[in-house]
Amino acid sequence: NFEGNPELANYLYLLLRNGVTLAVVTAAGYEYEVEKYETRLSGLLSFFKARELPAEDCERFYLFGGECNYLLKMGSDYRLHPVKEHGAGGWITATRHLEEAPGNWDEDQIQSLLDVAEESITNSISELNIRGRCLRKKRAVGMIASEGITITREALDESVLRVQEKLDSHANVILPFCAFNGGSDVWIDCGNKRV
């Protein structure tokens, strides 16, 4: 929440003004639904706009969504824009020589990780009598509450511990992942902030 922390926004602004390339990494995995990311970063983007951050500085600001799965870049309009994935200049193409880069992950390995996570979350919902549902995305699995329901912190924590243990011990899961309690939901993403 950069609106509540102008000091942090100012530090990022100063880094950009001094030629540093920055990337904010978030667990929020909205694929390339730019508006959702912009809502999360609205305070920071507004800060940059109010200080008229020059275009060349804007273009050194990136956002990695879904831990490391969706790359966006700020334009001179102070809006986020998806960075193409494939072809000349594509970020997945450009990182293909880095062994642990997300673009090198085998699709079967991604699906295996998601299958195990989905099974664990479904079991948690059933065994812990959680009033919620499992949601599967392109590179993530989540547990979200039913409408009007709040899942207890203990149930969220227990679900995270269960899925983490299942993924850590499963022979077919070799990709990095991140399992976390989001405060009102649980998410398991392919990849993590170390990638």
Side-chain angles (χ1 to χ4, degrees), residues 1-194:
N1 179 359
F2 292 97
E3 290 166 349
N5 194 343
E7 187 176 0
L8 178 57
N10 190 55
Y11 285 136
L12 297 178
Y13 169 82
L14 291 172
L15 287 169
L16 289 167
R17 289 296 294 136
N18 284 284
V20 176
T21 299
L22 294 177
V24 170
V25 182
T26 178
Y30 306 126
E31 297 188 24
Y32 289 106
E33 295 180 51
V34 174
E35 297 80 18
K36 290 183 178 182
Y37 293 111
E38 288 178 336
T39 298
R40 291 180 73 90
L41 293 181
S42 62
L44 182 62
L45 299 175
S46 295
F47 188 94
F48 292 159
K49 186 174 184 176
R51 278 144 190 86
E52 298 179 353
L53 185 67
E56 62 272 11
D57 295 337
C58 288
E59 295 189 3
R60 284 195 309 278
F61 180 83
Y62 293 87
L63 176 93
F64 241 136
E67 298 293 351
C68 62
N69 291 295
Y70 311 105
L71 184 62
L72 299 102
K73 181 178 185 176
M74 185 170 63
S76 59
D77 58 356
Y78 308 101
R79 305 272 326 263
L80 296 174
H81 303 276
V83 174
K84 73 177 185 172
E85 293 184 343
H86 301 284
W91 73 269
I92 288 180
T93 301
T95 60
R96 72 179 178 275
H97 300 292
L98 304 173
E99 186 178 325
E100 293 182 10
N104 291 328
W105 296 342
D106 180 79
E107 190 60 35
D108 289 340
Q109 293 173 351
I110 293 168
Q111 295 310 312
S112 179
L113 187 154
L114 297 175
D115 290 345
V116 173
E118 183 175 21
E119 179 183 6
S120 178
I121 289 297
T122 301
N123 288 342
S124 289
I125 290 170
S126 174
E127 294 168 8
L128 300 174
N129 296 315
I130 295 172
R131 293 175 58 194
R133 65 185 176 94
C134 184
L135 178 65
R136 185 160 175 161
K137 293 186 173 185
K138 183 178 174 183
R139 287 200 168 185
V141 171
M143 177 176 67
I144 58 174
S146 298
E147 179 124 3
I149 301 297
T150 299
I151 302 172
T152 65
R153 182 180 60 88
E154 293 80 10
L156 296 170
D157 287 344
E158 179 64 22
S159 298
V160 169
L161 292 171
R162 287 178 178 208
V163 73
Q164 194 162 355
E165 181 180 357
K166 191 75 161 171
L167 289 168
D168 283 340
S169 65
H170 201 283
N172 292 338
V173 176
I174 59 174
L175 296 178
F177 66 90
C178 181
F180 62 94
N181 172 349
S184 61
D185 50 21
V186 168
W187 287 98
I188 302 90
D189 292 320
C190 294
N192 56 38
K193 291 175 175 67
R194 288 181 290 193

